[in-house]
Structure formats: structure tokens, C-alpha cells
Amino acid sequence: RWLSYPEVISSMTEYLRAGFDVGSGKTKMMVVKVKAAIITATLYSKQIDVQYSHDLALSTDNTLSSSILAKGEAALLELKEAAISLGCTKFAGVATAVFRKADNGAAYLARLASTHGINLSIVSQAKEGELGHLTAASQRPAIGLTDLVSYDSGGGSFQIVALPVVETSGLLPQARVTHEGPFGEIEALRVLEEDVRKRGLHKDVSPNPVTMAEASQVVELLQTRMPHLNGDVALRLAQATTRVVAIGESTSIFAIASTTLDGDRSLTVAKVQAAIERTCDKDDKAQESMGLPEVNLTLPKLCLLKAAMGFYGMKLVDYAFVNGSCPGVCVAPEFWNDA
């Protein structure tokens, strides 16, 4: 007899994988079980703060410092050991914006691969966006892929991704279309300190408190530097059935807005503006009392979110808490030779 669909799935091999997402500000890993390109169980998920992008912004020769590279290596080894303790022998992942920009980024990753067996691919921003779209789809399976627009934003870049609009019926195209935002929250911090305040960016100096006037200027300046959407993404955002799903961990720009708004994960421009108003004119201690992490970046993150949502006409953003693009990495076949 023919096997039923559940029987076919049940007969397939289940794989144990550790997927890394080494971003510009956070090093993330998930250990999961995968069957038929679907995550069936999550055994471990953790992120470690490694501010590569901030370090590069302070560099005078476009290289990452030895201290930040050592911190990043230690973070990766800690995560790998956790994966090994769970029986994992397969490790793969991606390195994103800051490693595309830093002159010593590729050499650093090559050394990690040869020394520690952690293979991290420097992916294009378009590929980074595709992984974000896969991750968003894994978090909101009830939304059809054609109605899903993913939004991911980190320390060095942001991506808004959709499937292309196809006028004719037929097979759904596999290629996703990525709108590539050329900067992230560190650029928003730089705009605040250099363009608005006319002073340099300093590693250990908090920008707080930030006034409402300063925050408004940052939003306006960021919007003047945002590239316009390509046709397919713009068309998707204009459709009534489209849902924008933002992905990010506990320090993402979306999480900061949600925390400030007492856990509200349905974000609008007006709500983000309210979050800005709640955090302006507050020093580090006052923001920490609100439960906010990385308070030196609170206002830059909120300003970037408001700028992007307003500029691109995103009326409602549904925030899905997830450990970066790790889910997308774990199911994307090109990173694994076990299947």
C-alpha cells in the first residue's frame, strides 16, 4: 500500500544539528533535531554578547581588534562545548554584516574552521535575508509564504524579505527577494553622537540621557539614508493580506520596543514613538530599572525601528522572539552534508 504523509515523514531520518548565527553584535547558537527540513525539537538555544560592529566602528584601519576576536572565539568555543555535551557532531553557521566589511574578517573565520572545526560561511546580505525569511516562516507557520514578509535588523544591517510577486499561476518560485538595509543600530548610535551631537563615538561612554529633540533628529537623518524598496518587496507590503514578521532575540530592536511597551509584540509606528518617549531623558540606571538590556543602545535601536517602519510604510510588525537566524541555518540544506 501507499504510505500516508505522516508515515513518510516518520520514516525519514532525524538529524541533530548545531546552527550558528554570528552577527555583528551577538553570537548565537541553537541545537535542534531536524526531519524533512522541519525542526522537530530544540535542545539548546543561547546567545553571547560580542560587539564586533561597535569594535569595527572604532577601528582606524577597518580591522577587528585582537581583543574582540579573542572574545568571539571564546564565545564560539563555549557554545560548541554545550552542543557536544548534547551529543551533537554537526556544526555549521553563518557570519554576517561585520565580517563582510572587516578586512580581517575572512581570515579570522578561516582560522576558526581549521583550528576548531566550526565552519562559518560569510553570506551575502541577500542570503542573510533568505535565512531570516525561513526563520520567520518557522515561527509563523499559519501564514502562507506568499503573504509573509520578514524583517530582521542587527548591529550592521537590516533585511526586509518577500517572495516575488508572480502574475501567472504555476509553480511558486523558490528565490526570495531581499531589500538590503546598509546599516544597523551601530550606525544609528554613530548618527546620534557624530551627526547630531557633533562629537566622536566612544567605546565606553553611554549616550544617555537622550532628549526627544535628539531622537527626532536621528530618525530624520536615518530616513534620508535609507534606500527605497525594490519593486517586489514594495508590492508585497502594499497587499492587504501581507503580514510583516520581525525576528530577533532579547536585545534586538524589536525586543527593546516590546519590553518598553510592557511586552506588546504587535508594533506600530505610534507604539514605537511611545517607546521612544518612555525612554528619552532617562539615564542608564533609569532604563535598567525598566528591564532594558544594553541601555547604551536603547534609543539608537528605537530610532532605527521607527525610521524604517515609517519610511517603508510598515503599518504593523508582528515580533517573533527567536534566536536570530539559527532556525533558518539549521534547515537550509546547503550548510549540511548529513542529509
Side-chain angles (χ1 to χ4, degrees), residues 37-266:
I38 297 171
I39 295 174
T40 57
T42 298
L43 306 185
Y44 184 88
S45 181
K46 185 176 181 178
Q47 63 161 357
I48 298 176
D49 182 71
V50 185
Q51 290 293 330
Y52 291 110
S53 193
H54 199 176
D55 182 88
L56 187 63
L58 297 168
S59 173
T60 59
D61 60 0
N62 200 48
T63 62
L64 294 162
S65 69
S66 58
S67 60
I68 201 70
L69 294 180
K71 184 175 182 180
E73 184 173 6
L76 285 164
L77 289 177
E78 177 185 331
L79 294 172
K80 182 183 178 183
E81 287 302 313
I84 290 173
S85 71
L86 293 168
C88 194
T89 60
K90 301 291 184 180
F91 312 93
V94 296
T96 55
V98 72
F99 298 97
R100 295 192 292 265
K101 299 174 183 176
D103 290 343
N104 58 341
Y108 169 64
L109 297 178
R111 183 174 65 80
L112 290 176
S114 62
T115 305
H116 304 301
I118 303 174
N119 297 306
L120 301 172
S121 303
I122 299 180
V123 293
S124 67
Q125 195 171 355
K127 186 62 184 179
E128 188 178 352
E130 290 177 20
L131 293 170
H133 197 267
L134 278 172
T135 297
S138 75
Q139 302 303 301
R140 297 291 187 269
I143 303 174
L145 284 179
T146 55
D147 291 331
L148 175 67
V149 172
S150 65
Y151 178 19
D152 187 11
S153 185
S157 64
F158 66 88
Q159 297 82 40
I160 304 170
V161 185
L163 286 177
V165 176
V166 181
E167 297 297 335
T168 58
S169 60
L171 293 176
L172 187 69
Q174 296 301 305
R176 290 163 171 82
V177 180
T178 299
H179 173 70
E180 302 180 6
F183 50 77
E185 61 213 35
I186 298 303
E187 175 65 9
L189 175 62
R190 192 198 65 75
V191 167
L192 170 62
E193 293 288 43
E194 296 183 3
D195 297 338
V196 175
R197 292 177 169 172
K198 308 300 181 184
R199 68 186 192 186
L201 186 64
H202 299 284
K203 183 177 182 181
D204 299 316
V205 178
S206 171
N208 295 317
V210 178
T211 67
M212 271 301 306
E214 289 173 330
S216 296
Q217 283 184 269
V218 172
V219 171
E220 291 173 6
L221 286 170
L222 289 174
Q223 289 184 330
T224 66
R225 301 170 193 185
M226 289 184 170
H228 289 279
L229 291 172
N230 61 48
D232 278 300
V233 178
L235 286 171
R236 285 291 180 203
L237 284 175
Q239 292 179 339
T241 56
T242 294
R243 293 274 302 278
V244 180
V245 177
I247 59 168
E249 32 67 37
S250 60
T251 61
S252 67
I253 65 174
F254 316 109
I256 298 307
S258 176
T259 299
T260 307
L261 297 167
D262 304 316
D264 190 348
R265 294 189 180 182
S266 296

